[in-house]
């Protein structure tokens, strides 16, 4: 599987931790860039990344309602970038729709590094019900 395909599978698997983790190496690093907002930060290894996935898609977002719309994807043999919208509902029933960009680095058919960016202000507004 090439880097673009891996990255596409990654974002379309959001909400499904087992599918996400199957695409990663044991020591993958995932940096979630949303300023000082939780759960932003850098996560390393499958255990920490699973905890992140379970927090995001379990405590914050309803994993059964996740819809991903990919706008663009580009990449080469080792890196890819995808811009997409994630639309879902919070676990407390509010609608959520935000634009994301994910950059990956891959090696030997697995993702070894992820940098995920989103609009933290939009997220904060929608998660608090102020949008």
């Amino acid at each position: 599987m090439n880097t673009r395909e891996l990255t596409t599978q990654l974002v379309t698997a959001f909400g499904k931790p087992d599918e996400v983790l199957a695409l990663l190496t044991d020591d993958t690093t995932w940096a979630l860039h949303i300023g000082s907002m939780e759960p932003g930060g850098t996560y390393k290894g499958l255990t920490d990344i699973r905890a992140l996935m379970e927090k995001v898609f379990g405590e914050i977002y309803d994993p059964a309602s996740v819809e991903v719309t990919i706008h663009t994807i580009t990449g080469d043999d080792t890196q890819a970038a995808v811009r997409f919208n994630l639309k879902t509902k919070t676990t407390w029933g509010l609608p959520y729709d935000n634009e994301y960009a994910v950059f990956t680095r891959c090696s030997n058919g697995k993702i070894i590094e992820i940098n995920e960016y989103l609009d933290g202000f939009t997220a904060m507004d929608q998660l608090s019900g102020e949008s």
Side-chain angles (χ1 to χ4, degrees), residues 5 14 16 19 24 28 50 52 56 66-67 75 78 89-91 96 99 108 112 120 126:
E5 292 168 334
F14 277 15
K16 303 170 193 138
E19 289 182 29
L24 312 180
T28 294
R50 177 179 289 282
L52 170 65
V56 171
V66 171
E67 297 174 33
T78 60
K89 289 187 178 175
T90 64
T91 56
Y96 178 84
E99 188 167 312
N108 298 319
I112 59 175
Q126 291 184 45

Side-chain angles (χ1 to χ4, degrees), residues 19-129:
E19 289 182 29
V20 167
L21 295 174
L23 302 169
L24 312 180
T25 64
D26 291 343
D27 61 348
T28 294
T29 300
W30 190 317
L32 178 55
H33 302 275
I34 51 175
S36 61
M37 217 174 121
E38 289 292 325
T42 301
Y43 300 82
K44 185 166 177 94
L46 296 180
T47 300
D48 285 351
I49 293 171
R50 177 179 289 282
L52 170 65
M53 293 288 101
E54 290 174 351
K55 178 171 187 71
V56 171
F57 298 104
E59 293 179 30
I60 301 172
Y61 306 124
D62 171 16
S65 67
V66 171
E67 297 174 33
V68 171
T69 303
I70 294 175
H71 302 296
T72 57
I73 184 160
T74 187
D76 59 26
D77 291 340
T78 60
Q79 299 180 80
V82 61
R83 184 177 64 85
F84 64 98
N85 270 71
L86 180 110
K87 184 176 181 178
T88 188
K89 289 187 178 175
T90 64
T91 56
W92 53 94
L94 294 175
Y96 178 84
D97 188 356
N98 203 350
E99 188 167 312
Y100 289 70
V102 167
F103 300 84
T104 61
R105 193 165 54 89
C106 303
S107 179
N108 298 319
K110 294 275 189 170
I111 298 170
I112 59 175
E113 181 181 355
I114 302 163
N115 281 282
E116 176 183 353
Y117 297 84
L118 65 135
D119 181 340
F121 288 115
T122 295
M124 191 170 33
D125 286 349
Q126 291 184 45
L127 295 175
S128 68

